Amino acid sequence: VQAGAAAVALAGGAASVFRPPPKFPTIYGSWFGDKMSADMRACISAGLRSGLTAMEVRTQALPNLDEAKFGTPTNEKFQIECARSLGLSSGPTKPQSTGKVDAGGLQKSVKRFDSNYMLVKRDPVAYANVWWAQRIAPALGSRRKIWVLLAEGRVDTSACSKLPRNFVVKPLESKDVQVTSRDAVIVVAPGVTQSWKIGYDLATNAGAPVVFLNSQLSERYSLGGPLDDVEEVYYLKPISKGFVYRAYPGGWQCILDKPDGTQEKLQEYAAGERPTLGELSQLTRSVSQEKFGAAMNDKFTNDPRMGGRM
C-alpha cells in the first residue's frame, strides 16, 4: 500500500527533504491567481518524491460552488479568469448604453458575451476543472503527455488556445486512451467508485502517476475517495461551520469558519491519524455554537455581518 510506504519513508528521515506543507488558504481569495494551485503542485511534487503514484487533490471547483447555478459576483470573476487562462475569451465586455431608458428614467446598459465565454458561463464547473488540471499539470512533468480524463460530462476544449501542448482531454470512457509509462493521468471529477477504478487501472497498469482531481461526489461519507491506495495530498472540503484541510506531508486539520470571514484551526492531527467527517463536523458545530450561537455563523447568507462572503 503506497500510503504505508510513504509513512515509512517519512519516519526514516525523508521528511527533511520536504518544505513545510502549505498553510490553510485564504477563503476565497486563493482561488484567484496561482496561490492555491501552487500549493497543490507543491503537495503533488512532495508526494512524487516520497514514492506516491496515486494521489487525490480536492478543492471546490468554484469559490462559491453551492451558488454555481445561480451565479455570484465572485464566481463570475473566477469564470472570467478561467476563460482567459484557457485562451477561450477575455470575458464579457464592459456594460454599454443601449440608448434606452427604464421606467425610472435611468439609462439601460448591457454586458455582451462572446460565444466562447458563454461556454464557460453555461458550464462553469466543467471548465473550471479543466483550468485546475491545467494549473496542477506542471507538477507531473512538462515532458510527459498528460491525459486529462473527464469522469463526468463533456467539455469542448477545441477553442482553448492556451492549453499545454502535452494535454489530451478526453472522456474517461474513451476507447482510444493509450497511457504509457512516460505519461501521467489526471482524472477530473471522479464520482462513483467505478470511475476511480477505471482511472486508477489505466494509470497503474501503464506505470504512470495519476491524480484524482476535485471529486465532489462520494458513495461513502468519509474523507477522500473510495480507493485505499490513493493518498490525499491536497484536500480542502467544506463541512458544517468549517473546513477539513490536509496538505501533504502534513496531517489533517479541522478549521472553524468564523462570522467575520476568517478561519481558526481547532485541531491538527498527527501523521497517520485519520479523523472521520462526522467527528470533524461535530467539533466545528459545537465550537461554533459555543462561541457564536446558531444564528450568527451562517456562511451561506449574503449578509456580511453573518459570515456571507459571496
Side-chain angles (χ1 to χ4, degrees), residues 144-149 168 170-172 174-187 198-210:
R144 293 180 184 269
K145 178 186 287 187
I146 308 293
W147 294 91
V148 181
L149 304 180
V168 181
K170 288 183 176 292
L172 179 61
S174 293
K175 302 299 183 183
D176 57 346
V177 175
Q178 301 291 332
V179 182
T180 74
S181 60
R182 298 183 300 275
D183 302 341
V185 176
I186 300 174
V187 179
I198 292 173
Y200 182 85
D201 289 344
L202 281 171
T204 55
N205 289 343
V210 57

Side-chain angles (χ1 to χ4, degrees), residues 87-111:
L88 273 171
S89 169
S90 59
T93 61
K94 294 182 179 179
Q96 298 177 351
S97 174
T98 62
K100 299 178 181 180
V101 295
D102 62 16
L106 298 176
Q107 287 279 347
K108 289 184 177 181
S109 62
V110 295
K111 288 182 179 180

Side-chain angles (χ1 to χ4, degrees), residues 126 129-130 133 148-152 186-191 211-215:
N129 275 328
V130 174
V148 181
L149 304 180
L150 310 176
E152 295 183 4
I186 300 174
V187 179
V188 175
V211 174
F212 295 89
L213 175 65
N214 286 352
S215 173

